[in-house]
Amino acid sequence: MNEHFDFGPATGIGSMPGGDAREAAKTVTGSFEWPDTGMPYLPELPARGPGADMIGRTAGLLVELYARVEPSGWRLGDRPGRDTRRAVSWLGEDLDALEEFTQGYEGPLKVQAVGPWTLAAALELKNGEAALSDPGACRDLAGSLAEGLRLHLAEIQRRVPGARVVLQLDEPSLIAVLRGQVKTASGYRTHRAVDRQLVEATLRDVIGVHTEPGAVVVHSCAPDVPFALLRRAGADAISFDFSLLTERDDDAIGEAVEGGTKLLAGVVPTTEGSLSDPAGSVMGVRTLWRRLGLHPGLLADAVTVTPSCGLAGVSPAYARRALAHCAQAARSLADNPE
């Protein structure tokens, strides 16, 4: 655990609206200028279609495993096909755009990929069942993902040499995997819950591919984020939808902050509408801090402000406003922690 890695005052989750890679990169790098307003990141543009979605994009990173689109979703196959090539091509386009807008950049730069368990719940085997149904397939998938991420992180570093690359693993299905709530192909049953120690060990292996100390975030915008498990697995920061927290999460969050884990608090709505004033957006964070009895001086250091989830479903104008709002809310938190 590296307590000194600075994720900055604000950042985004990953997905952005539209299909223009240059426009998205320009928006993100313009909204988050290090160190004043926050940490830029590699945008994802799922509106372009299969291969630009989070599962397809990560499937394109896998080493010696290939996936194609079937009517039911992404399915593992024997060789790379059109869908994998499209995913790789779009990622290349996004990297080109990011590289263009980060010339000479020095500071943290975030990239996102789907974590091993959400990937195992989403990718189908040849029989149509999720890879999650087969422990051997889960193991192979995690190994392939780890190798793919190692190559991907090296590529980012090559393109933006001054960056400290931050890896975000998206695990929205993690709780469903732990609780045995992932449905089988028929929809009538669910896959067996996966043992917590196996979940943790697999996450630890995948997190371990990133050698930059203190620079791995795990993101989930589902309820009941397993804070303690993620910390044991080696997550340096945990990203979550703040509106889904309950007082049941208090102890785990207090322990996380005191243990040096950073919180990426999703407080800015990802549905179109008018935004409250920036101070109002982070009022809940201040209230939580008081409830936990944490020192107000820790607040700006421990918390990075984000939207509650990705922004793919909103207009480009709202996405720009939401990212600017994150930076303004973070400023309010730093200026008035109490």
Side-chain angles (χ1 to χ4, degrees), residues 98-99 102 105 109 155-163 165:
L98 185 72
E99 187 177 353
T102 50
Y105 175 74
L109 178 67
E155 172 70 1
I156 306 277
Q157 198 67 74
R158 187 185 67 74
R159 286 172 176 260
V160 193
V165 183

Side-chain angles (χ1 to χ4, degrees), residues 10 13 28 44 71 202 208 286 305:
I13 298 299
V28 164
E44 300 166 357
T202 303
R286 290 193 187 93
V305 175

Side-chain angles (χ1 to χ4, degrees), residues 36 96 102 130 164 170 173-174 323:
D36 300 331
D96 289 345
T102 50
R164 292 185 70 187
D170 292 321
S173 302
L174 187 60
L323 295 183

Side-chain angles (χ1 to χ4, degrees), residues 36-207:
D36 300 331
T37 50
M39 171 169 63
Y41 58 94
L42 176 66
E44 300 166 357
L45 302 172
R48 292 180 299 198
D53 60 302
M54 62 190 250
I55 299 298
R57 187 185 190 97
T58 303
L61 293 175
L62 297 174
V63 172
E64 292 178 8
L65 283 180
Y66 312 103
R68 63 177 187 272
V69 179
E70 296 287 338
S72 51
W74 283 89
R75 183 171 295 185
L76 291 165
D78 297 324
R79 54 186 175 274
R82 188 186 55 201
D83 299 321
T84 309
R85 284 195 295 272
R86 192 187 293 133
V88 171
S89 162
W90 273 329
L91 177 59
E93 200 179 289
D94 294 341
L95 288 170
D96 289 345
L98 185 72
E99 187 177 353
E100 180 186 341
F101 288 100
T102 50
Q103 293 293 310
Y105 175 74
E106 292 184 357
L109 178 67
K110 181 165 72 70
V111 297
Q112 305 82 221
V114 176
W117 293 107
T118 296
L119 203 57
L123 286 180
E124 298 172 358
L125 302 172
K126 287 173 195 163
N127 65 4
E129 287 297 350
L132 190 64
S133 63
D134 179 338
C138 289
R139 204 164 43 244
D140 292 347
L141 195 53
S144 171
L145 174 63
E147 192 50 44
L149 286 173
R150 193 177 281 119
L151 296 170
H152 182 45
L153 292 166
E155 172 70 1
I156 306 277
Q157 198 67 74
R158 187 185 67 74
R159 286 172 176 260
V160 193
R164 292 185 70 187
V165 183
V166 171
L167 171 63
Q168 174 180 304
L169 293 174
D170 292 321
E171 281 285 15
S173 302
L174 187 60
I175 276 290
V177 167
L178 287 165
R179 291 182 177 168
Q181 293 168 338
V182 177
K183 284 191 162 51
T184 57
S186 68
Y188 295 123
R189 296 185 304 110
T190 54
H191 294 289
R192 255 206 324 268
V194 180
D195 177 73
R196 291 182 82 85
Q197 283 173 307
L198 176 60
V199 167
E200 188 183 314
T202 303
L203 276 168
R204 187 179 298 113
D205 289 347
V206 174
I207 285 171

Side-chain angles (χ1 to χ4, degrees), residues 241-310:
D241 179 345
F242 192 84
S243 70
L244 298 177
L245 288 185
T246 67
E247 293 198 14
R248 282 202 313 273
D249 298 306
D250 279 9
D251 289 350
I253 288 179
E255 283 167 21
V257 172
E258 284 170 351
T261 304
K262 305 284 180 136
L263 304 179
L264 275 65
V267 296
V268 176
T270 50
T271 46
E272 296 268 350
S274 56
L275 291 162
S276 71
D277 69 298
S281 294
V282 285
M283 194 156 55
V285 180
R286 290 193 187 93
T287 305
L288 171 70
W289 230 246
R290 278 198 297 275
R291 199 164 73 225
L292 296 177
L294 292 166
H295 191 283
L298 278 174
L299 197 47
D301 237 10
V303 173
T304 295
V305 175
T306 72
S308 57
C309 210

